[in-house]
Amino acid sequence: MGRNPRRDLLAGLTVAIVALPLALGFGVSSGLGAEAGLATAVVAGALAAVFGGSNLQVSGPTGAMTVVLVPIVAQYGPGGVLTVGLIAGLMLVALAVARAGRYMQYVPAPVVEGFTLGIACVIGLQQVPNALGVAKPEGDKVLVVTWRAVEEFVRTPNWTAVGLALAVVAVMLVGARWRPTIPFSIVAVIAATVVAQVFHLDAAAPIGDLPAGLPAPSLAFLDVAALGSLLAPAVAVAALAALESLLSASVADGMTVGQKHDPDKELLGQGLANLAAPLFGGVPATGAIARTAVNVRSGASSRLASLTHAAVLAVIVFAAAPLVSRIPLAALAGVLLATAIKMVEVGSICAMVKATRSDAVVLVLTAVATLALDLVYAVIIGLLVAGALALRAVAKQARLDQVSFQPHLPGQDSAEEHALLAEHIVAYRIDGPLFFAGAHRFLLELAEVADVRVVILRMSRVTTIDATGALVLKDAVQKLNRRGIAVMTSGIRPGQRQVLDSVGALDLLRHEGREYATTPEAIVGARTHLQCAGVFPVPAQESPPGPVIAEESPR
């Protein structure tokens, strides 16, 4: 995406208009007031834009963070929230120094896609009260609040607000197809404001009075004695800030071509932003996916847009508050409704759902959890389910196959001798991982071995082994030994010996002299065992046969 300062400035202005009511609303919802929300949007928005790792990320107060902050305000007061923000900022900087941001690459695409879909639904539903022109009902669950708002609208309809909101949505969606380069969100909001003022549409409630400015920076809120009790809430705030910011940055990357954020630098930017915001009375900040989406959709290509957003909000705080206070809330609700609609990439979602059943389950579950619970729980649930399904898929790849050992027999043996060996020896090859998710299946299969004197386990294709796999293998060897069946192993890799040795499996094999480097050596050991048991009268070879040149390794 090429640099275009003009589009960045327009995108920043658009985001500022969208961010203004959100900053005010989230500040009030957190319990610290509208001024706290604006302080966060201006201070944290500017610092995160300069020092963050994404060119398109817009930071500020968010709904998810507000949910976390409400109980902190109730228990510790406004000063406690500011202290928590300060501690969380230090934690985010520490995470950046530890390069913890790189672990975000392990979040599966269906989780990110489901998160985006769920957030789009949440953003849309959050706008229903303003779009319907009713006061926001009490409650912290978006579905409950939306239902109560609809009930209130049915009792006292406000078609003026509905008309303004739908008009803004229509202008933005149709205009984006007609002239993508024009910021129709600004056009629609200005038009709605002019109509409301000219025709005296009292039913279209405006934003209302704004605070006159930002407070001077201060650490007066800091209570050193309370730091210990605020540590746990700060961990929750830092975790949410990191999670939401990195996911938002990932979503922004997915909405563009050629943009890629630096996760560790993004954590640093968010940490510095959260260190500074409390000094001005601001609440903790995160990357805001709704504002970031508006930024991307408005054509932003650099950090200039995010900086412009913060600068415009600062100008509004100090100079233009009376003008912006007249913007109808219904018009701003229309802007976010259109943004939520455009966030849903139908083609991408359909492709993900059609990919595999597991991807579809993870996507839908993450989206539903985002809508019904909150962002943190949704991502945790998505990651847990995706991890469980991935383990299940990996475990299914592990196989225990019976294979022929005939190609590794000495060529001078007669056909009768080969037949006698085949009657008393069976060889199995383990392919793939031998770990907790699928190890017990091997035990059951090995336990079914019967009517033989020797089992050769070829382990050169075991990709990984954990303690559970080692214990299951040891248990299988002991069960077979108790039935009079000797177990020979071949091809154990050096990296797997430590795990086997830690549970005593290697000692068991070494004690019986039944652990070999290659399959031909294991066969010689099996012949010797059969000779000692009086089953095979032919003397064992003095030395193992030379290397076998074949498609399959003799191990």
Side-chain angles (χ1 to χ4, degrees):
M1 184 185 294
R3 295 293 179 88
N4 190 326
R6 178 175 173 273
R7 289 182 66 180
D8 285 335
L9 291 172
L10 289 174
L13 181 59
T14 303
V15 176
I17 291 177
V18 172
L20 179 61
L22 294 176
L24 294 171
F26 292 145
V28 172
S29 299
S30 68
L32 270 69
E35 185 176 351
L38 279 174
T40 300
V42 173
V43 177
L47 287 174
V50 173
F51 297 102
S54 171
N55 292 328
L56 305 175
Q57 179 94 288
V58 178
S59 300
T62 63
M65 185 62 76
T66 300
V67 174
V68 176
L69 295 179
V70 169
I72 299 176
V73 174
Q75 186 172 357
Y76 301 102
V81 172
L82 300 180
T83 305
V84 163
L86 200 66
I87 299 173
L90 290 172
M91 291 179 177
L92 288 170
V93 172
L95 288 175
V97 173
R99 303 186 63 81
R102 56 187 170 178
Y103 293 107
M104 267 302 299
Q105 64 183 314
Y106 298 112
V107 178
V111 174
V112 176
E113 201 70 45
F115 173 82
T116 307
L117 176 59
I119 281 294
C121 295
V122 171
I123 292 171
L125 291 174
Q126 283 177 339
Q127 310 316 308
V128 170
N130 286 337
L132 297 179
V134 301
K136 184 179 177 180
E138 294 293 329
D140 55 359
K141 298 296 183 183
V142 66
L143 292 174
V144 174
V145 171
T146 301
W147 178 255
R148 291 175 179 172
V150 171
E151 289 181 329
E152 178 63 25
F153 177 80
V154 170
R155 286 193 292 268
T156 55
N158 185 343
W159 296 108
T160 300
V162 173
L164 284 177
L166 292 179
V168 170
V169 171
V171 169
M172 288 183 62
L173 295 180
V174 175
R177 290 181 174 273
W178 178 53
R179 288 283 194 277
T181 56
I182 299 177
F184 278 99
S185 58
I186 296 176
V187 174
V189 167
I190 293 176
T193 305
V194 170
V195 168
Q197 293 297 311
V198 170
F199 292 97
H200 304 289
L201 301 179
D202 296 333
I207 292 175
D209 295 336
L210 297 177
L214 298 177
S218 171
L219 275 172
F221 62 86
L222 188 61
D223 182 4
V224 178
L227 292 179
S229 60
L230 293 173
L231 191 59
V235 170
V237 169
L240 176 61
L243 183 63
E244 190 173 3
S245 298
L246 293 178
L247 281 177
S248 177
S250 296
V251 170
D253 290 347
M255 296 172 66
T256 60
V257 177
Q259 292 281 357
K260 185 172 177 61
H261 73 284
D262 182 335
D264 297 314
K265 192 176 179 183
E266 182 61 29
L267 289 178
L268 176 63
Q270 295 297 332
L272 295 176
N274 279 287
L275 280 172
L279 303 181
F280 294 87
V283 296
T286 75
I289 194 168
R291 277 148 279 179
T292 300
V294 172
N295 195 37
V296 175
R297 295 298 186 186
S298 299
S301 59
S302 73
R303 300 168 189 267
L304 179 60
S306 301
L307 281 171
T308 302
H309 137 269
V312 169
L313 288 177
V315 170
I316 291 172
V317 170
F318 288 102
L323 295 176
V324 178
S325 64
R326 300 177 183 179
I327 297 174
L329 289 173
L332 293 169
V335 171
L336 282 185
L337 283 170
T339 301
I341 292 172
K342 291 189 288 184
M343 281 179 64
V344 179
E345 298 284 353
V346 178
S348 178
I349 292 173
C350 290
M352 199 76 66
V353 169
K354 292 178 181 177
T356 67
R357 184 178 298 178
S358 296
D359 289 333
V361 169
V362 172
L363 188 152
V364 172
L365 190 60
T366 305
V368 171
T370 302
L371 184 61
L373 302 173
D374 63 49
L375 305 183
V376 177
Y377 286 125
V379 174
I380 291 174
I381 291 172
L383 289 175
L384 289 176
V385 173
L389 292 175
L391 283 175
R392 179 172 172 266
V394 171
K396 282 187 174 181
Q397 294 177 357
R399 293 164 46 195
L400 180 70
D401 297 322
Q402 183 174 346
V403 294
S404 173
F405 59 86
Q406 298 290 336
H408 308 300
L409 290 174
Q412 64 269 29
D413 284 348
S414 65
E416 291 80 10
E417 292 169 338
H418 286 183
L420 187 59
L421 286 171
E423 181 182 349
H424 295 286
I425 302 174
V426 64
Y428 286 93
R429 183 180 62 219
I430 302 176
D431 284 288
L434 186 59
F435 70 134
F436 71 93
H440 293 284
R441 183 160 48 91
F442 293 105
L443 175 60
L444 294 176
E445 292 185 29
L446 282 175
E448 296 176 358
V449 176
D451 301 327
V452 294
R453 294 295 188 98
V454 179
V455 170
I456 297 177
L457 290 179
R458 302 178 60 182
M459 300 181 62
S460 61
R461 295 192 181 183
V462 175
T463 55
T464 186
I465 186 169
D466 67 357
T468 303
L471 284 171
V472 169
L473 181 63
K474 177 183 177 183
D475 193 25
V477 172
Q478 289 174 332
K479 285 179 180 291
L480 291 172
N481 287 345
R482 285 196 293 268
R483 293 170 49 199
I485 301 174
V487 179
M488 313 286 180
T489 60
S490 68
I492 297 177
R493 296 181 181 181
Q496 298 165 359
R497 291 180 178 275
Q498 181 178 354
V499 181
L500 291 168
D501 199 32
S502 66
V503 299
L506 210 55
D507 286 341
L508 176 65
L509 295 169
R510 285 172 175 166
H511 178 70
E512 300 289 340
R514 296 170 182 173
E515 195 258 318
Y516 300 92
T518 65
T519 299
E521 291 176 349
I523 293 173
V524 171
R527 289 163 58 101
T528 303
H529 175 77
L530 293 177
Q531 180 189 16
C532 294
V535 177
F536 195 76
V538 181
Q541 298 292 325
E542 293 182 359
S543 60
V548 178
I549 307 299
E551 292 183 6
E552 184 178 30
S553 167
R555 295 162 61 113

